[in-house]
Amino acid sequence: MTSPTPQTVQDEARALYHLGLKEKAEGRLERAIEFFDAALAAQPDFPEALCSGGYILQTTGHYDGALAFYGRAIELDPGYFDALFNRGCLFFALGQLDPAVADFSRAAAFQPKDAGAYSNLGAALHQSGRLAEAVDALRRALELDPALVEAELNLGSALRRMGREDEAHEAFMRAALLKPDCAEAYCGLGIVARARGEFREAFDYYDCALAFDPTLEEALSSKGSLQLLLGQFEAGWEGYESRWVDGHRPVPVSDARFDLARPETIAGKRVLVVNDHGLGDTIQFFRYVKLLSDHGADVTFAGPAKLQRLLSTCGAKVSWRDTNDFTGTFDARIAISSLPRAFATVEDSIPADVPFLSADPERVAFWRQRMPGSGLKIGLCWRGSQDFRVDPRRSPPPATLAPLAALPGVQFFALHMDVGANELPAAIASRIHVFGDGFDRGPDAFVDTAAVMANLDLVVTCDTSIAHLAGALGLPVWVTLRHIAEWRWMVDRETSPWYPTMRLMRAKAGDDWFELFERIANDIDVLAQEKEKY
């Protein structure tokens, strides 16, 4: 009996492969994978069968197997567009953005006329924070196919995050024209309008988005945040409950309500409070944890261990546990940022008794010895998170601090754990004392920062956790803000209902940081002269 020739084996494998494609097209995936497996048994080095098998594994949730199939197909044929594209999609869905970018880049290089490859590349670059590259890729996708709504949406989002509001508005408008019922497009237009200070238009766009999709969390959250910005607290807290876009909600929305006028709603209740945002939010809203404890609730806090030492200075009786540990029996499970809603907070009822945190006396004395000299002592924080998702534009460009360099009779202290060698202009860098490696390097966050702050006359900080810390410590603090700031700082006011010792320093329209720091320098000069008199 003669052995089958290589061509016969190849023909048999290809026939099995085509049978698998037919079963796949008709929705019989299990049968399709049987044919693909048979084809691979006959011819193991069969890129098309590997890719098709990988796709079925992907759609049925067998991600590791899918990646293995795609990887082998690409090994056999490094220019195999479908395998690169599919694997890029899977990496993107799994949040593995760097390999997704690599696969989409290779796919686009092999088929430079494929709009989908550039669109997906732009989406992956956008999610990676590589915004300028994302804009280039998305514009290329739209040159190839002007009808790609998703590319327009991603382009608008990337441009918005870069502060290019006019271009973002145009992209979202094009998306709305392409798909008149596109809720995401109207939401994007609303976010751009808010950034411009066009609040009435923003509300109209959000309402339009919600008319098309009443469950769109980004529109609900954005509208709620705008209501909070404008002091419409009751409605705003409801929308704010949708702030966990993309399914990152740690616990379900809680129906718990705590009424200080009705002790039975608090006393004896077992409450699990879950941390859900950054360190600044935790500091700001921990006042409500103290309220629960002070009024007889049995409180457990699932939050970052590094904040326990600082937050425990509020005197609340709280059981601490790991951030992700939600086990146990409780009367209520609630995110810490949802506590203002649970307490029905309005502007006049914000619990703003400060200080509600305190610095460690031993650390205060320790750092006092390292801060000798007379004159006005000011702590500076000019940089918050650079994560593009939390708006790094809240941080003023370091060059804008230059007016502070000319101030006589003032000592400046950096409230950063690290300061780059060339981060600041030379003139101001030479004036700022940096504490070095021993500053807040232990397991407890902000312990040294709080102690240093206690030895200062003033803290000047951008919108970051340092602002909340200084406010919670009841210290004089000036917060530098964009013209239209984050919701908690509201609009057109110099004071904060959350922190009585805080002064809000807003940039003028267009976020002119240079002009703002010239004003700040003038005001500091007045303080320095006043201190010299005493």
Side-chain angles (χ1 to χ4, degrees):
M1 184 175 181
T2 59
S3 299
T5 65
Q7 184 62 50
T8 301
V9 172
Q10 184 175 346
D11 289 345
E12 179 187 352
R14 190 156 293 279
L16 291 166
Y17 168 67
H18 282 290
L19 288 171
L21 289 179
K22 182 175 182 296
E23 296 293 328
K24 174 187 169 188
E26 295 176 359
R28 294 186 288 272
L29 299 185
E30 291 186 6
R31 185 67 176 149
I33 201 68
E34 291 176 4
F35 280 115
F36 293 145
D37 285 344
L40 290 167
Q43 185 183 342
D45 296 341
F46 192 165
E48 292 91 338
L50 286 162
C51 183
S52 295
Y55 181 79
I56 291 177
L57 289 169
Q58 177 179 343
T59 58
T60 55
H62 298 87
Y63 301 135
D64 290 341
L67 290 173
F69 271 50
Y70 290 142
R72 180 57 181 155
I74 293 166
E75 285 179 15
L76 295 168
D77 183 358
Y80 190 3
F81 176 87
D82 287 351
L84 286 165
F85 186 88
N86 289 351
R87 189 174 70 172
C89 290
L90 179 52
F91 277 136
F92 185 81
L94 296 174
Q96 299 180 37
L97 298 177
D98 288 343
V101 167
D103 279 351
F104 290 137
S105 296
R106 287 175 63 186
F110 285 120
Q111 290 197 19
K113 299 294 186 182
D114 191 277
Y118 281 103
S119 180
N120 284 15
L121 173 60
L125 288 166
H126 177 208
Q127 291 300 313
S128 301
R130 297 161 62 177
L131 301 180
E133 295 172 81
V135 167
D136 290 341
L138 292 164
R139 289 200 189 281
R140 177 58 180 156
L142 289 162
E143 287 175 4
L144 293 167
D145 184 355
L148 285 177
V149 175
E150 196 64 34
E152 289 284 19
L153 293 173
N154 281 320
L155 177 62
S157 182
L159 290 166
R160 174 179 64 79
R161 293 187 183 280
M162 296 173 73
R164 294 159 62 176
E165 277 90 6
D166 290 346
E167 294 172 84
H169 175 89
E170 292 172 1
F172 288 128
M173 189 61 74
R174 288 193 298 269
L177 291 172
L178 286 168
K179 189 175 185 290
D181 63 348
C182 183
E184 292 82 1
Y186 295 108
C187 181
L189 288 167
I191 294 172
V192 170
R194 179 210 181 278
R196 291 169 161 177
E198 300 166 353
F199 301 138
R200 184 63 266 166
E201 290 83 352
F203 277 124
D204 289 342
Y205 282 129
Y206 293 145
D207 288 341
C208 189
L210 293 168
F212 288 120
D213 183 357
T215 66
L216 183 62
E217 289 197 324
E218 188 172 25
L220 290 166
S221 174
S222 296
K223 181 178 179 180
S225 294
L226 179 53
Q227 289 167 324
L228 292 174
L229 179 76
L230 299 176
Q232 300 169 19
F233 282 74
E234 185 176 356
W237 295 128
E238 296 305 317
Y240 194 57
E241 285 302 295
S242 296
R243 62 194 174 274
W244 297 290
V245 179
D246 299 329
H248 297 302
R249 184 187 305 274
V251 289
V253 174
S254 175
D255 61 0
R257 294 293 185 270
F258 306 113
D259 185 348
L260 296 177
R262 297 172 57 216
E264 69 274 11
T265 66
I266 303 176
K269 301 295 184 183
R270 299 192 64 209
V271 182
L272 174 67
V273 178
V274 176
N275 199 61
D276 65 319
H277 278 317
L279 301 183
D281 298 84
T282 308
I283 293 171
Q284 178 182 3
F285 296 128
F286 205 77
R287 68 189 74 199
Y288 289 99
V289 176
K290 177 174 170 55
L291 269 183
L292 288 171
S293 172
D294 288 350
H295 288 79
D298 179 1
V299 185
T300 299
F301 182 55
K306 61 184 178 181
L307 282 181
Q308 182 172 357
R309 183 175 172 187
L310 172 70
L311 296 179
S312 294
T313 64
C314 76
K317 295 180 180 179
V318 178
S319 299
W320 285 74
R321 60 165 59 175
D322 182 81
T323 301
N324 299 312
D325 183 0
F326 306 154
T327 59
T329 301
F330 297 93
D331 297 302
R333 286 181 171 82
I334 187 168
I336 192 170
S337 300
S338 294
L339 286 174
R341 171 178 176 264
F343 275 91
T345 301
V346 295
E347 183 176 343
D348 291 340
S349 67
I350 291 173
D353 292 335
V354 297
F356 61 85
L357 299 180
S358 60
D360 183 311
E362 291 185 5
R363 301 308 293 170
V364 172
F366 175 86
W367 288 108
R368 183 182 300 121
Q369 296 174 1
R370 287 152 181 79
M371 301 169 63
S374 59
L376 198 69
K377 295 181 179 179
I378 296 180
L380 291 178
C381 174
W382 58 90
R383 170 171 33 87
S385 171
Q386 297 303 292
D387 188 331
F388 77 102
R389 293 166 296 185
V390 294
D391 189 12
R393 290 185 296 153
R394 294 184 299 177
S395 303
T400 62
L401 275 67
L404 304 181
L407 293 173
V410 180
Q411 293 187 74
F412 293 106
F413 299 87
L415 298 176
H416 294 276
M417 288 193 295
D418 60 309
V419 179
N422 300 311
E423 184 174 344
L424 294 166
I428 186 62
S430 65
R431 294 284 309 276
I432 299 178
H433 179 80
V434 179
F435 289 109
D437 292 340
F439 182 65
D440 260 335
R441 296 292 183 180
D444 300 306
F446 298 126
V447 172
D448 287 328
T449 304
V452 166
M453 285 181 177
N455 290 298
L456 297 170
D457 296 293
L458 174 67
V459 173
V460 178
T461 176
C462 63
D463 177 8
T464 188
S465 54
I466 294 296
H468 294 283
L469 176 60
L473 292 168
L475 301 174
V477 52
W478 296 355
V479 183
T480 62
L481 300 172
R482 296 179 58 197
H483 181 63
I484 305 296
E486 213 252 347
W487 68 261
R488 72 199 72 215
W489 308 124
M490 307 180 75
V491 292
D492 299 330
R493 59 183 300 161
E494 290 190 1
T495 59
S496 168
W498 297 93
Y499 300 110
T501 63
M502 181 177 286
R503 181 182 178 190
L504 305 178
M505 308 287 284
R506 298 179 188 275
K508 292 185 177 179
D511 293 341
D512 187 344
W513 291 108
F514 285 97
E515 189 277 337
L516 175 59
F517 272 93
E518 288 174 356
R519 276 191 278 137
I520 289 172
N522 289 334
D523 289 353
I524 290 176
D525 190 35
V526 172
L527 292 179
Q529 292 179 39
E530 290 177 352
K531 183 160 187 176
E532 284 184 0
K533 296 177 183 178
Y534 298 99

